[in-house]
Amino acid sequence: MKLSKFAFMFFMFIPVGVSAQSAAEADFLSKNEELTNLFRHARKTDDYKACEDILRKQIALFCSMDSLLSEPFGYFKHKSYYDLACIQSIEGKKDEAIRSFAEAYDDGNFELTYKSVMEDKDLDNIRNEKGFQTILAKIKEASDYIKILRNAPAYSETTDASDLPVITYLDKDDKDLVRVREYFKLDSVAGNCDELTKIRKILTYIHDKIRHDGTQANPRGDRNAINYGSACKDGAHSLNCRGMATVLNECYLAMGIKSRIITCLPKRFFSDCHVINAVYSETLGKWLWIDPTNNAWVTDDKGNMLSVPEVRERLRAGLPVQVNDEANWNNERKVETEDYLYSYMAKNLFYIECWTRYGFNTESDKNIPVNYIMLQPPGCKSNAMLEGSIAVNDDSCFWAAPGA
């Protein structure tokens, strides 16, 4: 009943950039989580009748939401219909399963990949049915992410840099970043080594220290490295990809390394995207691809570390890219190049978002609101873009060196 190895690994980013939930949203999420836990228990015991009843309650819960709130949380309804289709398929209720599968897909309003649907054995009983095959053909076309990325218009180079806000980075001697450096003992972690080795050492340290879980919300309270690190001590909690990137970003800044939190988004945002770091290497003069969720960086076929824009353009041009051999998820599963870059990240590189300032507790600082910049192909506009965000089509401006 899983959609794919990566499909929901980085979930819990709904809606993009929203920092606080309304009481109605919080109430919905609480009730939905309770039903989800009941469903998981029923599924483990193969109590299919209970599974159906619970899933129908989840769907009804979503349908009872105010229409103003329902759009960002539509994922839950579609996911419940998908699970319902799986249960009904197992039970041999073919017609009902196909109807539920159609409700899940909803003419492309729910993100399904051809590979994940083909690998889901729960759907085997309806796989050869005409109604299923019709929807599957549409999914196959919509999930050809390399093709979608390659068909994106090329960036323009017409933006006047003076029209954009200067992206700022907090100095390592700031008292809060000093606290971060001391809390994580980063001087000892980094040791006396060259810049690139230092970047990789700090990445692996945070990846190994904090567990990733994309199905859970981050700990309550301020969103900074110390609060998150304390909450996750000894495995007491975990972080989603945004939380992982937040911790790593403040660690790099604390060591005097300029770093950004980068949100990588698909052409059409549903429920899933991925958040990584772009770390500026003075040695190489570019923003390196650094992913704390997967202890990952990306190289070309000769082993040269690549920047975020280089990875995107090489995927578009059909040039080789590969993830490092050490890349893994929670030291439990090796990350493979094909799944990670050519499938998952090819989907999530249509739009790229960064912040206008990077420091300590940036997204929780009520005194200095953070703004967002979205890099978009000309003629395209992300449905995940927040009101008031700045849109640019010029990648040279977006990826300018610190202080340029």
Side-chain angles (χ1 to χ4, degrees):
M1 201 173 296
K2 292 181 180 179
L3 295 191
S4 77
K5 184 182 294 184
F6 286 99
F8 296 103
M9 189 179 292
F10 312 108
F11 180 56
M12 292 308 294
F13 196 64
I14 300 177
V16 175
V18 171
S19 59
Q21 294 173 345
S22 69
E25 290 169 344
D27 181 61
F28 167 78
L29 289 172
S30 176
K31 291 178 179 176
N32 185 72
E33 183 178 6
E34 180 181 350
L35 289 169
T36 297
N37 289 333
L38 290 172
F39 171 74
R40 287 173 176 167
H41 176 73
R43 184 65 182 87
K44 285 181 180 178
T45 59
D46 294 334
D47 187 345
Y48 299 131
K49 182 181 185 305
C51 285
E52 282 202 56
D53 291 342
I54 294 165
L55 291 169
R56 293 189 188 284
K57 288 179 181 179
Q58 281 188 300
I59 293 167
L61 174 64
F62 175 86
C63 292
S64 69
M65 292 179 69
D66 187 293
S67 60
L68 295 176
L69 299 177
S70 62
E71 183 177 354
F73 294 92
Y75 159 84
F76 294 104
K77 180 182 74 171
H78 296 304
K79 179 64 167 62
S80 295
Y81 269 119
Y82 181 89
D83 289 340
L84 185 59
C86 290
I87 294 298
Q88 292 167 334
S89 172
I90 293 170
E91 294 180 292
K93 300 178 180 179
K94 293 185 178 182
D95 290 342
E96 292 178 56
I98 291 170
R99 285 196 293 271
S100 295
F101 189 68
E103 290 284 357
Y105 177 65
D106 191 19
D107 290 329
N109 287 317
F110 183 53
E111 188 173 23
L112 294 167
T113 68
Y114 178 78
K115 180 181 179 182
S116 64
V117 172
M118 290 300 293
E119 290 178 349
D120 196 334
K121 296 186 180 300
D122 290 342
L123 298 171
D124 283 352
N125 284 338
I126 61 172
R127 199 168 302 284
N128 295 323
E129 300 297 315
K130 182 178 179 181
F132 181 87
Q133 288 291 324
T134 298
I135 299 170
L136 186 63
K138 295 178 181 179
I139 292 171
K140 185 175 183 180
E141 177 67 22
S143 58
D144 188 346
Y145 298 122
I146 286 288
K147 180 179 178 181
I148 292 170
L149 187 62
R150 288 175 179 169
N151 287 340
Y155 293 129
S156 67
E157 295 189 1
T158 57
T159 303
D160 186 342
S162 64
D163 293 336
L164 299 177
V166 175
I167 299 175
T168 61
Y169 307 88
L170 193 61
D171 187 86
K172 69 175 184 177
D173 293 327
D174 173 84
K175 61 180 178 60
D176 288 317
L177 289 184
V178 170
R179 289 199 298 127
V180 171
R181 186 161 66 247
E182 293 173 348
Y183 179 86
F184 289 99
K185 299 179 174 61
L186 294 175
D187 288 323
S188 296
V189 171
N192 185 21
C193 57
D194 63 84
E195 180 198 50
L196 297 181
T197 302
K198 185 181 296 184
I199 288 171
R200 293 190 292 259
K201 277 188 172 184
I202 295 172
L203 162 67
T204 300
Y205 173 73
I206 294 301
H207 170 269
D208 291 350
K209 189 176 184 65
I210 299 177
R211 182 175 177 79
H212 168 264
D213 185 348
T215 68
Q216 302 295 323
N218 288 327
R220 295 179 182 274
D222 287 344
R223 283 167 279 179
N224 61 62
I226 294 176
N227 181 52
Y228 281 169
S230 299
C232 297
K233 189 176 182 180
D234 299 324
H237 209 293
S238 55
L239 298 178
N240 61 30
C241 60
R242 195 176 189 86
M244 297 289 291
T246 296
V247 173
L248 186 59
N249 205 73
E250 293 184 7
C251 287
Y252 282 133
L253 293 175
M255 295 298 287
I257 300 170
K258 300 296 189 292
S259 176
R260 298 184 188 181
I261 294 171
I262 299 293
T263 304
C264 305
L265 289 150
K267 185 174 184 179
R268 185 176 183 188
F269 177 75
F270 293 92
S271 61
D272 171 78
C273 62
H274 192 38
V275 184
I276 65 174
N277 297 93
V279 182
Y280 193 77
S281 166
E282 298 287 350
T283 303
L284 301 178
K286 59 186 180 183
W287 291 99
L288 298 179
W289 178 298
I290 299 293
D291 180 356
T293 294
N294 296 294
N295 191 36
W297 58 89
V298 184
T299 68
D300 61 16
D301 51 329
K302 296 179 181 179
N304 299 307
M305 292 181 72
L306 298 174
S307 67
V308 178
E310 284 177 324
V311 173
R312 186 182 189 276
E313 290 311 306
R314 289 179 75 88
L315 286 172
R316 279 167 53 82
L319 297 174
V321 289
Q322 58 192 34
V323 71
N324 55 302
D325 289 338
E326 302 91 335
N328 71 86
W329 180 73
N330 284 333
N331 290 305
E332 296 174 9
R333 181 169 63 237
K334 181 175 174 57
V335 171
E336 303 288 352
T337 294
E338 184 65 31
D339 282 334
Y340 178 63
L341 291 176
Y342 288 92
S343 178
Y344 189 72
M345 292 311 302
K347 172 179 78 74
N348 286 326
L349 286 172
F350 198 90
Y351 298 108
I352 299 174
E353 180 195 76
C354 76
W355 307 355
T356 53
R357 66 181 181 89
Y358 292 94
F360 177 82
N361 207 43
T362 303
E363 282 199 300
S364 298
D365 190 342
K366 297 178 181 179
N367 296 318
I368 313 176
V370 62
N371 294 312
Y372 303 88
I373 305 175
M374 185 78 79
L375 177 60
Q376 305 184 142
C380 303
K381 183 177 180 180
S382 172
N383 68 317
M385 189 168 175
L386 293 169
E387 183 178 354
S389 293
I390 302 161
V392 299
N393 309 126
D394 189 335
D395 60 329
S396 61
C397 284
F398 186 90
W399 292 114

